[in-house]
Amino acid sequence: MAPLWTSVIRSIRYKIALLMLASVCCALLVAGVALSLYEISDYRQQAMNELGTQADILGRASASALAFDDARAVKENLQLLSNHPGLQAAAIYAARGRRMGEFRGADAAQVSIPDLPEADGIHVSGNHVIVFKRVVENGEIVGTVYLNGRYELMARLRDFLGILCAVMVFSLMVTGLLSVWLQRAFTQPILAVTSAAHRVVALKDFSLRVPKTTEDEVGYLVEAFNGMLAKLGQREQDLAASQRLLEQEVEERRRVDEDLRNLNAQLELHVAQRTAQLETANKELESFSYSVSHDLRTPLRGVVGFADALLEDHGEDLDEEAQRKLRIVHGEGLRMGRLIDDLLAFSRLGRKALQTVEVDMEGLARNAWKSVAGPDAGSSLRLELGRLPPVQGDPALLTQVWINLLSNAVKFSAKREQALVSISAITDGEEHVYFVRDNGAGFNPKYQDKLFGVFQRLHDSDAYAGTGVGLALVQRIVLRHGGRVWAEGQPDQGATFYFALPKEPLHEPL
Amino acid sequence: MKTGGVRRPCPGRRRLLGLVLLLACAGAAWAQVDEGADEAHVKAAFLYKFTGYVDWPDSAFDPPGASFVIGVQGSPALLGELSQLIAGRKIHERPVQVRSIAAGDSLDGLQVLFVGRSESFRGEASSPVLIVTEADGSMPRGSMINFLVIDRHVRFVIALPTVEQAGLRMSSRLLSVAQKVIQAEEH
């Protein structure tokens, strides 16, 4: 049962057959019920009418016999009914109720014939239809006819239902055959589409086409299906073509990439070579300048030492003018010594490896301020120290940065009555930006790019002492930490020097 | 529904009607004869009933509105029964008279003449008259219906040619219950 039902709900063929059978069954059942109901009422009416008519005829025929009390004629008339199949018993009564004649069917021995006539009328009682009919002749009642007929509703209904069942079975068979024949015409195109769809899904063959055999909705479906197949096929071809094109492009790009990589490698090789040459040249230059500076110190120490000794030992022998000039020689010698020291420090920086640790920038800045401003920093010089984040770096070099920047600030704001130096920092996602602001002489932004050059001075050395190496050193140290420096300022409106250090320290190539 | 109801009254009412009619019939004076009943009574009833099976031409009634007249000759018992029987009845839509007839009386104006056993029947009528006799043995000449008593039942013989000669028309239904129908002249 289950597989049958499954195949019914899976296939439109069986559904249509089932539909037709169900429709025919329903129609036949409804018709059968209606006909049965009609038959029941009709049979009763018909039986009563028929027997009534028979009674009428018998009465008319027997009227004169009754009128003239002719029992023989009455019996003859009754005998006429003996062949009537539906009649079980009959009797004729005289006007006063005396029974003049009677008749029983062969199979109706048990039927009792009433001794006296009952009232005029027809009624059904059990399996019998019973008629009493007055016979009227020339306006006088001359007697009564009694008829007892068969009323076999159940047998009749049984026959009727039997016929109905036979008709139903036959109809269902005919319908079944008809549905097999009809649904073939009906479902063939749908099944063709279905099998084509199966093949398309299984084989991915979009060149399949379903022949169009009908002009109805299914025909339209077939057309649409074919159209979709054609479009799908076309699209797949396009896709394949574009894929081939894409593959070619990828291949080409890969080749170009490779060329580029080769070229790049060559370039990098070139750069490395050049860099090596440059580094070599730079190192040679640095060692040259170091040895020059170092070699210059020895004679200079002699000049300064002997100028000092001359002033100490023979100062009283010289006049005022000579002493003054000698002091200038001594001072300039000292200045040259500092210049050489700075140069040495600057060149040393390129030769020393960074000692990177976590550095407390706030502590460094405070100590640097102490050494720059001196213990007797008056009320004319004020520092505002903000919160500074720690950073990864070389503490000795960073101390140098702070000292150089702060001494620069103090130096250029020394002429202010109320000098203010403020230190603070800003942090963004990648770096810490520290800055030192003063309200000193400031500078012309036009020369901004010269600020950090070696021996570059924006102010003359008479007004502001210095060697012109400090800011260059600062830049050098910060660059070596992977950071950057810049400055903002206007003449007479102070200056701000910034240096930014990365949060993650750069691994410095040596 | 209404017409149906009129045409087919309910069985109960119909039954009641039948019973009433039956009682009326049973009580009627002309009621049919049983064994041992008075022969005259039965014959009077038959005589009355014969009129229902016989057609008289219009010429039998002069004037046209005249009563239906039954003459009785020589049978006072039957005359009395008949007089009782016809009281309040009509024959062929006409009032009925019963008249005693003596031998030799004119038969004009009569439609039926009954001739008793002891009487001889004679005479011609200008209009059609149904002649009924009760002669034993053979049919008297001119008689159209003759009563017999067979097995104590009253029966009758019809002489059809005489009836037809007289210009009367007799229903075949009457013929069918006759003891015998004489088709041709026997005399």
Side-chain angles (χ1 to χ4, degrees):
Chain A
M1 197 60 204
L4 183 67
W5 180 243
T6 312
S7 63
V8 166
I9 56 172
R10 286 268 171 80
S11 169
I12 201 165
R13 285 174 59 179
Y14 293 113
K15 275 182 189 166
I16 290 172
L18 202 65
L19 194 76
M20 287 180 79
L21 290 180
S23 308
V24 169
C25 256
C26 281
L28 283 175
L29 273 178
V30 170
V33 168
L35 282 175
S36 298
L37 290 177
Y38 174 73
E39 176 69 15
I40 288 169
S41 82
D42 184 54
Y43 176 63
R44 182 189 168 95
Q45 197 62 46
Q46 207 180 325
M48 284 164 61
N49 284 347
E50 195 183 332
L51 214 63
T53 308
Q54 291 281 351
D56 261 348
I57 293 170
L58 185 61
R60 292 291 294 164
S62 309
S64 57
L66 280 168
F68 295 103
D69 196 23
D70 189 345
R72 182 182 51 82
V74 164
K75 281 177 181 138
E76 277 173 11
N77 282 343
L78 278 173
Q79 281 307 311
L80 291 177
L81 292 174
S82 63
N83 289 328
H84 193 288
L87 204 61
Q88 289 195 299
I92 295 180
Y93 302 85
R96 274 182 164 171
R98 182 172 54 89
R99 197 159 69 201
M100 289 183 65
E102 64 193 51
F103 151 79
R104 272 178 221 270
D107 55 344
Q110 79 287 357
V111 173
S112 66
I113 297 173
D115 288 332
L116 283 172
E118 293 170 14
D120 214 17
I122 305 176
H123 65 275
V124 173
S125 145
N127 289 333
H128 304 279
V129 189
I130 290 164
V131 182
F132 284 98
K133 178 78 185 169
R134 299 276 170 265
V135 181
V136 178
E137 184 77 346
N138 293 324
E140 309 281 355
I141 291 173
V142 292
T144 303
V145 170
Y146 160 79
L147 290 181
N148 184 333
R150 284 194 184 83
Y151 183 69
E152 288 163 329
L153 181 62
M154 281 305 136
R156 178 90 176 206
L157 213 55
R158 205 163 47 233
D159 290 353
F160 189 77
L161 289 179
I163 291 171
L164 197 68
C165 283
V167 166
M168 259 180 99
V169 169
F170 182 69
S171 302
L172 286 182
M173 277 163 59
V174 169
T175 308
L177 290 175
L178 205 66
S179 79
V180 167
W181 180 63
L182 275 179
Q183 56 108 359
R184 186 165 300 155
F186 187 69
T187 57
Q188 205 74 47
I190 297 177
L191 293 180
V193 173
T194 311
S195 80
H198 273 302
R199 291 220 307 279
V200 166
V201 168
L203 305 176
K204 302 255 181 289
D205 178 4
F206 298 109
S207 66
L208 281 170
R209 292 293 179 270
V210 183
K212 185 183 174 187
T213 52
T214 60
E215 290 298 328
D216 54 7
E217 290 89 340
V218 177
Y220 180 74
L221 197 71
V222 168
E223 237 171 44
F225 182 75
N226 284 341
M228 279 195 292
L229 275 184
K231 264 186 198 156
L232 265 175
Q234 182 62 41
R235 200 158 297 175
E236 194 171 74
Q237 276 179 9
D238 291 354
L239 214 73
S242 77
Q243 194 170 355
R244 270 198 303 279
L245 212 68
L246 217 70
E247 277 170 4
Q248 280 175 4
E249 270 178 22
V250 165
E251 178 61 27
E252 206 163 308
R253 193 162 296 177
R254 205 178 54 75
R255 219 166 38 237
V256 169
D257 244 24
E258 205 167 323
D259 290 354
L260 253 170
R261 257 203 305 279
N262 287 342
L263 202 66
N264 224 7
Q266 280 179 3
L267 270 174
E268 272 174 9
L269 205 64
H270 274 298
V271 167
Q273 285 171 356
R274 288 283 152 81
T275 309
Q277 288 172 2
L278 266 173
E279 275 174 357
T280 313
N282 214 16
K283 270 185 184 144
E284 280 172 0
L285 199 67
E286 272 179 6
S287 74
F288 171 72
S289 66
Y290 180 81
S291 56
V292 164
S293 308
H294 197 265
D295 290 352
L296 280 176
R297 274 169 70 167
T298 313
L300 188 61
R301 199 169 290 140
V303 172
V304 171
F306 279 102
D308 197 25
L310 195 59
L311 273 177
E312 291 258 327
D313 299 342
H314 306 285
E316 297 94 32
D317 303 338
L318 299 173
D319 60 14
E320 280 291 313
E321 183 60 20
Q323 277 187 27
R324 191 185 63 84
K325 285 175 177 163
L326 198 57
R327 276 194 201 96
I328 289 172
V329 169
H330 182 248
E332 289 300 305
L334 281 177
R335 202 161 75 89
M336 190 170 177
R338 278 201 304 278
L339 196 63
I340 288 168
D341 282 348
D342 282 353
L343 268 177
L344 273 176
F346 185 78
S347 63
R348 218 179 7 248
L349 201 60
R351 310 195 314 183
K352 196 180 161 197
L354 283 180
Q355 303 292 321
T356 306
V357 292
E358 168 128 345
V359 179
D360 172 19
M361 288 297 260
E362 229 172 288
L364 283 193
R366 193 172 289 117
N367 289 336
W369 176 257
K370 276 178 190 161
S371 64
V372 166
D376 57 341
S379 58
S380 63
L381 189 60
R382 217 155 50 81
L383 172 75
E384 278 183 4
L385 180 60
R387 282 189 51 79
L388 302 181
V391 78
Q392 296 284 327
D394 188 318
L397 294 181
L398 289 177
T399 302
Q400 190 67 51
V401 168
W402 283 118
I403 285 173
N404 286 8
L405 286 177
L406 289 176
S407 60
N408 208 45
V410 168
K411 185 165 67 187
F412 286 102
S413 51
K415 291 181 177 169
R416 295 278 176 221
E417 284 188 1
Q418 191 57 258
L420 176 65
V421 176
S422 53
I423 304 172
S424 191
I426 303 166
T427 300
D428 67 10
E430 288 171 352
E431 54 189 13
H432 301 296
V433 178
Y434 303 90
F435 58 88
V436 177
R437 179 172 290 141
D438 63 61
N439 56 352
F443 58 88
N444 190 341
K446 196 160 66 173
Y447 305 113
Q448 194 169 1
D449 51 338
K450 294 185 173 173
L451 271 174
F452 297 98
V454 184
F455 303 127
Q456 297 285 343
R457 297 179 57 94
L458 297 189
H459 303 271
D460 61 40
S461 56
D462 290 344
Y464 298 101
T467 57
V469 178
L471 286 180
L473 202 60
V474 166
Q475 184 183 37
R476 190 119 196 236
I477 291 169
V478 170
L479 284 179
R480 279 199 66 185
H481 278 85
R484 57 206 168 87
V485 292
W486 70 99
E488 289 168 359
Q490 290 290 332
D492 268 344
Q493 288 178 17
T496 308
F497 286 85
Y498 299 90
F499 68 97
L501 294 174
K503 284 178 166 176
E504 296 297 320
L506 216 72
H507 188 72
E508 188 203 36
L510 264 180
Chain B
M1 267 330 273
K2 243 175 197 166
T3 52
V6 169
R7 222 184 296 145
R8 281 193 298 170
C10 73
R13 191 181 296 171
R14 206 157 39 169
R15 234 164 254 184
L16 192 67
L17 190 68
L19 206 64
V20 169
L21 277 173
L22 200 69
L23 286 173
C25 294
W30 60 274
Q32 198 147 358
V33 180
D34 260 333
E35 279 182 277
D38 188 8
E39 190 183 314
H41 178 82
V42 175
K43 284 179 179 171
F46 276 27
L47 198 62
Y48 168 71
K49 286 181 187 173
F50 287 152
T51 60
Y53 296 92
V54 178
D55 281 340
W56 277 263
D58 286 344
S59 63
F61 299 97
D62 186 35
S67 301
F68 191 94
V69 183
I70 302 174
V72 178
Q73 184 186 344
S75 181
L78 190 135
L79 181 69
E81 290 287 346
L82 195 60
S83 299
Q84 273 188 5
L85 183 66
I86 55 130
R89 294 175 188 270
K90 285 188 168 185
I91 296 174
H92 294 295
E93 307 299 322
R94 292 168 193 275
V96 186
Q97 288 180 21
V98 177
R99 201 181 289 170
S100 177
I101 300 294
D105 280 1
S106 166
L107 302 183
D108 288 347
L110 290 186
Q111 276 77 40
V112 177
L113 173 64
F114 176 77
V115 180
R117 189 175 288 117
S118 53
E119 295 290 316
S120 65
F121 158 71
R122 177 203 60 80
E124 301 294 321
S126 55
S127 59
V129 179
L130 180 72
I131 311 293
V132 182
T133 61
E134 52 174 355
D136 296 328
S138 66
M139 191 99 177
R141 184 182 177 80
S143 169
M144 298 173 191
I145 299 174
N146 188 37
F147 283 120
L148 301 172
V149 175
I150 297 167
D151 293 342
R152 306 206 301 187
H153 276 88
V154 176
R155 314 280 356 135
F156 51 89
V157 176
I158 297 173
L160 196 54
T162 320
V163 175
E164 284 166 353
Q165 272 172 16
L168 297 171
R169 286 184 39 226
M170 190 171 274
S171 164
S172 64
R173 285 148 45 77
L174 182 59
L175 300 180
S176 70
V177 291
Q179 185 71 23
K180 184 183 172 187
V181 177
I182 296 167
Q183 295 289 352
E185 288 282 357
E186 287 181 356
H187 307 289

